[in-house]
């Protein structure tokens, strides 16, 4: 079994600089694409539906399923407002 070399101050500084550069790039990307964090309260049934959407779609993050669903419904609203209204009807049997 090989022993790990002790990390020097220079290596620690390089690692810190690399991580800071990554955080800076990530922040710039989020700003460039207009990202915004939203607080969302969900209930058990909604979380179960979201988990199902993730599983069927193979999405790693719930946000991906939510984003794609919103984009799909927005497209539907543009193409066929009546179908959108029917899909968004809270009394629509699921």
């Amino acid at each position: 079994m090989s022993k790990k070399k002790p990390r020097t101050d220079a290596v620690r500084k390089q690692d810190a600089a690399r991580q800071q550069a990554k955080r800076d790039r990530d922040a710039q990307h989020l700003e460039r694409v207009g990202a915004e964090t939203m607080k969302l309260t969900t209930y058990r049934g909604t979380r179960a539906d979201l988990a199902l959407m993730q599983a069927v779609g193979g999405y790693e993050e719930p946000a991906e399923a939510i984003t794609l669903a919103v984009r799909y419904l927005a497209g539907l609203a543009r193409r066929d407002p009546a179908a959108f209204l029917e899909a968004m009807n809270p009394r629509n049997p699921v």
Side-chain angles (χ1 to χ4, degrees):
M1 217 194 269
S2 65
K3 290 185 177 183
K4 283 189 173 183
K5 291 183 180 180
R7 290 170 38 99
T8 64
D9 285 342
V11 171
R12 284 188 187 93
K13 286 180 183 178
Q14 286 176 340
D15 289 348
R18 186 172 38 254
Q19 286 299 327
Q20 186 60 53
K22 182 184 182 319
R23 285 191 294 271
D24 292 346
R25 284 192 311 275
D26 290 347
Q28 288 172 353
H29 171 74
L30 293 174
E31 185 176 334
R32 190 171 53 251
V33 297
E36 181 179 315
T37 300
M38 296 174 66
K39 183 176 179 178
L40 176 67
T41 301
T42 60
Y43 297 93
R44 188 178 11 233
T46 303
R47 287 190 303 273
D49 291 343
L50 187 54
L52 175 64
M53 291 168 64
Q54 275 185 261
V56 171
Y59 309 122
E60 291 184 20
E61 299 291 328
E64 187 175 5
I66 292 169
T67 297
L68 291 172
V70 168
R71 299 297 305 263
Y72 172 79
L73 286 170
L76 183 61
R78 282 188 287 278
R79 288 187 314 275
D80 189 348
F84 169 80
L85 290 172
E86 183 179 337
M88 295 299 288
N89 182 349
R91 292 176 185 20
N92 191 4
V94 180

